[in-house]
Amino acid sequence: MYEAQTAALNCPCMEFPPMANPAPIITAYQEARSRAGRNSSAPPGILRRLFSKPQESPAPEHFVPVLIAVGDASPLEGFEWLGSETPEEHRQKLLSQPVEDGGALLARMAAQNQECAAEEGWDWPGEELLGPMEGGEAVNRFLGISDFHGKTIPLVLAEIPVSHPWEVFACVPFGGWNACPSNAEHMAAAKYWYEKYGAVPAVITRDVLEYDLPAPVKREEAMALALEQYAFCPDIVDQGCASVGCLADTLAKSTKWYFWWD
């Protein structure tokens, strides 16, 4: 049904229609993660399940599985914004460029936020916004794959043909609008967080990005990480948990990271 949206990805994609129970989606994602982890010695097979057949594309020798929204909530509409550049040209351009140091990028974003705050006469993030490291809830499931009624949104499980997790942002158009970082900035942050915490991009919708982690971050590292994430995506605090401390408490308990840009 969504072949036109996913064609530019040029990789195996398995479609999941809306369903009340997300378990089959999570099982398929975990299976793909497992196969991706074994693919250094042999090319993986194409995932076969009941819901739909993957597109007729050869399975890549290296891939990163990502759950991508299709339909009205899909980021894949961003391919239309490339102008005369084809998706493959855009992909190769991003992959050929050196990835910016993610730590430096996040520090620069924090400094920019601090400058803007100073111009308006207040400290950033300030004691009130920092808050105590408490009140957070564990997030150990993907939130962005479901709607407000608890039913999953239309999704595909795409086996993105790249060697490293951060390179998915060269293949999936996401960002560069409003306050959402550009694809290149997403690559930089993702590389930094993967190398430091093992975080991998796992869910991408039109305005939501989620990461999957092998384990929660250490509690003593959570506040510094929360400040980085707040600089990267202010909406998760300003329109979410209300304090950086609460976000840090959440990160110290969670194996999923949630980002949302208005």
Side-chain angles (χ1 to χ4, degrees), residues 26-50:
I26 301 307
T27 298
Y29 173 76
Q30 291 171 340
E31 265 187 23
R33 280 290 303 272
S34 178
R35 288 187 296 106
R38 299 194 304 264
N39 68 359
S40 58
S41 58
I46 295 176
L47 188 62
R48 293 179 177 87
R49 280 196 169 271
L50 297 175

Side-chain angles (χ1 to χ4, degrees), residues 101-118:
D101 181 289
L105 168 70
L106 295 166
R108 186 172 72 249
M109 287 180 167
Q112 290 170 347
N113 289 341
Q114 195 168 23
E115 279 182 31
C116 291

Side-chain angles (χ1 to χ4, degrees), residues 11-12 29 32-33 35-37 39 44 60-68 157-169 171-172 194 199-204:
C11 70
Y29 173 76
R33 280 290 303 272
R35 288 187 296 106
N39 68 359
E61 291 190 6
H62 299 278
F63 72 93
V64 175
V66 183
L67 291 164
I68 302 175
L157 176 60
E159 298 181 1
I160 307 295
V162 292
S163 299
H164 307 292
W166 58 90
E167 293 172 336
V168 301
F169 294 108
C171 304
V172 181
Y194 174 72
V200 298
V203 175
I204 303 177

Side-chain angles (χ1 to χ4, degrees), residues 137-227:
E137 296 183 8
V139 180
N140 296 314
R141 60 185 178 89
F142 295 128
L143 304 177
I145 66 172
S146 300
D147 61 21
F148 292 112
H149 304 289
K151 199 172 186 179
T152 64
I153 62 175
L155 296 162
V156 293
L157 176 60
E159 298 181 1
I160 307 295
V162 292
S163 299
H164 307 292
W166 58 90
E167 293 172 336
V168 301
F169 294 108
C171 304
V172 181
F174 184 76
W177 41 267
N178 294 349
C180 187
S182 67
N183 277 76
E185 290 171 329
H186 278 292
M187 288 177 70
K191 183 175 187 291
Y192 171 72
W193 284 329
Y194 174 72
E195 293 175 343
K196 194 166 184 179
Y197 304 109
V200 298
V203 175
I204 303 177
T205 76
R206 181 174 52 199
D207 54 8
V208 168
L209 168 64
E210 292 183 271
Y211 281 78
D212 190 27
L213 288 90
V217 299
K218 296 177 181 177
R219 192 163 184 84
E220 59 268 26
E221 298 177 328
M223 184 61 85
L225 173 61
L227 283 166

